[in-house]
Every structure is written in structure tokens, then in C-alpha cells.
Amino acid sequence: MSHGDLCLRLTGVSARLGGHPILHDVTMTVVPGELVALVGPNGAGKTTLLSVMSGDVEPASGRAELDGIDLHRWKVAALARRRAVLPQEQRLAFGFRAVDVVRMGRAPWARRPEEDLDDVVVAESMQRTDVLDLAERSFPTLSGGEKARTSFARVLAQQTSLVLLDEPTAALDIRHQEQVLSEARQLAAEGHAVVAVLHDLTVAAAHADRVCVLAGGRLQADGAPRDVLTPDVLGEVYGHPVDVIDHHGRLVVLPHLIDTRPRSSTEEAACGSARS
């Protein structure tokens, strides 16, 4: 299949974890050529939704389909050749070299013609994520950001049509945040479908084609950044007022500051008069 044949469709999906309801009646579609950002407050269900999209969590109700087939019906190896997942935490404890971790992304292509490209793909993926100089380092000795970039290189090396990224910029400095999201945008431009959980709303506005806002396990908004990232929507979802500013054509989301300074007796008296 080409990238263009891919379609990820969720229809009325609800999900439970540990007996607790997490997602409620989520319906959305992801197609090739777009970068979709999942945003929302802590506990909104973003990681669970990504796990449903990957096939790791089966919906309690509704349907989650990839190419028209329920995700839980896919064979493991076939699914690994169609979608790659960057988890929120990098939990490898053994002393694999960084290059070995990236090479793990090629496992789904073992004993297939694509296996002949392993060395080239691994080197290219490490170059794209700026970790070539870490190739011989033991993975557990890397910093959080170095682990994140190495794991992203593994995802690139897997060469799948669907790419799912859970907080890919969380441990990165500004330069590497831009580098990783530029690579994600490039994947979308090449015809991949990319979904990324992001906490920085300004970053989501700058890079995403679509923004899906989750709150309380429900999809509250889904659309272009300018249509979704508004003071009204964000203020209601996050329970905190925000300003959305157009800065040279790019949206910047700024939360209102909470004034925690101790007030003088004069200020307290003025506030009391205003309230009365």
C-alpha cells in the first residue's frame, strides 16, 4: 500500500483503563498528508486516545479502524509495518547502543526485501534527528533529550505510513524541538499521516494542520489552528483565561498571569470597595 491508501478512523470510541472511563464517544479521521496535534489539559485522555489509534488499547465501545480493518484484528507484524509509535517515556533499561535502539525500528521489515536498506535507513534516520554522534553510546547513559531524539530516530527508521508521537518535544531544548517537529511536518509533506500529543499550544499552532482539543475524555474541538485555538475555547477547556496573539502570522497563546504578590492594606481596601 502507498501512504495515500491509509485512513485511520475512530467512530464513537469510548475507552476504559483499570475499570475507569477515560474516553467518551470520540469520532475523528486521520488521513495522509496532515499533522494532527492532540492538545488538552492533564488527564484529558490524550495518551489513551493515541493508544487506541495504535491498537494498544481496544475501545470499550465504538470502532477504531486502520484501512477499514478494526485495529485489534491486525496481525502484529503487519501493523508494525503500517504504524510506528513514540511513547511518552523511554523505558529501555538494558545497555543497548543508541544505534541498536534505532535499528529496532527495522525489525518489522526482517526477512523482506526492505531489509536490504537497513543500514542506509538507520544512518539517515540518525542524521535527521542529530544523534549520529551518539551511535556508540549506551542508551541508559543518554540524557532525557538524547533518549527522546534516539527514539524518534527509531520511529523514522520504521518507515510507516502512520506515525504516532506522544509528547515528542517534552525533554528537548528549543533547537531540537523545532528540529523534531520540522521532521514531523516533513513526514506529513511526504504523504505520511502524523498525530502528535503536544502540550505547548503555540508550538501546536505553528506546526499542525489540524488541532484536536480533548477535555474530560471528549473531543471538544477539531479543526484548523486558527479556528480551534481561540480564547473562548481554550479558556473553557483549561479553566484559565488566555490571550491568543497573531505574531507575524503565527499564533501565540499566552495564559493570563495569576497575581500572587501580597497586597498592601491600601490595595485590599481598594479591592473591597470595588467588590461592594
Side-chain angles (χ1 to χ4, degrees), residues 7-11 13 63-71 74:
C7 180
L8 174 67
R9 180 176 289 110
L10 307 184
T11 307
V13 164
R63 299 190 67 179
E65 302 169 292
L66 181 63
D67 300 333
I69 302 170
D70 284 353
L71 275 160
W74 279 77

Side-chain angles (χ1 to χ4, degrees), residues 24 152 196 237:
H24 308 277
F152 184 50
V237 165

Side-chain angles (χ1 to χ4, degrees), residues 92-132:
L92 279 175
F94 296 102
F96 294 107
R97 298 175 304 164
V99 67
D100 297 325
V101 172
V102 179
R103 193 172 293 276
M104 290 175 188
R106 300 301 298 165
W109 303 103
R111 295 178 295 280
R112 296 173 61 92
E114 292 87 350
E115 186 178 43
D116 295 340
L117 300 174
D118 282 2
D119 290 342
V120 172
V121 171
V122 167
E124 181 184 87
S125 299
M126 297 185 76
Q127 183 175 21
R128 290 173 68 174
T129 56
D130 195 24
V131 293
L132 270 177

Side-chain angles (χ1 to χ4, degrees), residues 41-213:
N42 294 335
K46 301 181 296 295
T47 293
T48 301
L49 180 56
L50 207 73
S51 296
V52 170
M53 292 178 172
S54 71
D56 292 335
V57 170
E58 186 174 345
S61 61
R63 299 190 67 179
E65 302 169 292
L66 181 63
D67 300 333
I69 302 170
D70 284 353
L71 275 160
H72 70 275
R73 296 185 181 277
W74 279 77
K75 293 184 178 179
V76 173
L79 185 58
R81 291 190 290 270
R82 287 297 272 164
R83 65 96 180 96
V85 184
L86 179 69
Q88 192 175 123
E89 298 179 19
Q90 321 304 324
R91 298 182 178 179
L92 279 175
F94 296 102
F96 294 107
R97 298 175 304 164
V99 67
D100 297 325
V101 172
V102 179
R103 193 172 293 276
M104 290 175 188
R106 300 301 298 165
W109 303 103
R111 295 178 295 280
R112 296 173 61 92
E114 292 87 350
E115 186 178 43
D116 295 340
L117 300 174
D118 282 2
D119 290 342
V120 172
V121 171
V122 167
E124 181 184 87
S125 299
M126 297 185 76
Q127 183 175 21
R128 290 173 68 174
T129 56
D130 195 24
V131 293
L132 270 177
D133 61 328
L134 305 176
E136 299 301 319
R137 288 272 303 276
S138 172
F139 187 79
T141 69
L142 301 179
S143 71
E146 290 168 339
K147 287 179 180 177
R149 283 155 40 216
T150 300
S151 296
F152 184 50
R154 173 190 58 75
V155 167
L156 293 180
Q158 199 168 331
Q159 291 193 316
T160 58
S161 300
L162 175 63
V163 178
L164 304 173
L165 309 172
D166 196 353
E167 297 190 35
T169 62
L172 303 182
D173 57 43
I174 291 176
R175 179 169 74 90
H176 287 114
Q177 282 184 21
E178 284 299 307
Q179 181 184 42
V180 165
L181 288 173
S182 292
E183 289 295 338
R185 279 231 46 83
Q186 182 60 32
L187 286 173
E190 292 169 356
H192 300 256
V194 184
V195 182
V197 173
L198 298 172
H199 272 294
D200 190 317
L201 299 174
T202 298
V203 169
H207 293 278
D209 299 298
R210 280 170 57 203
V211 176
C212 296
V213 183

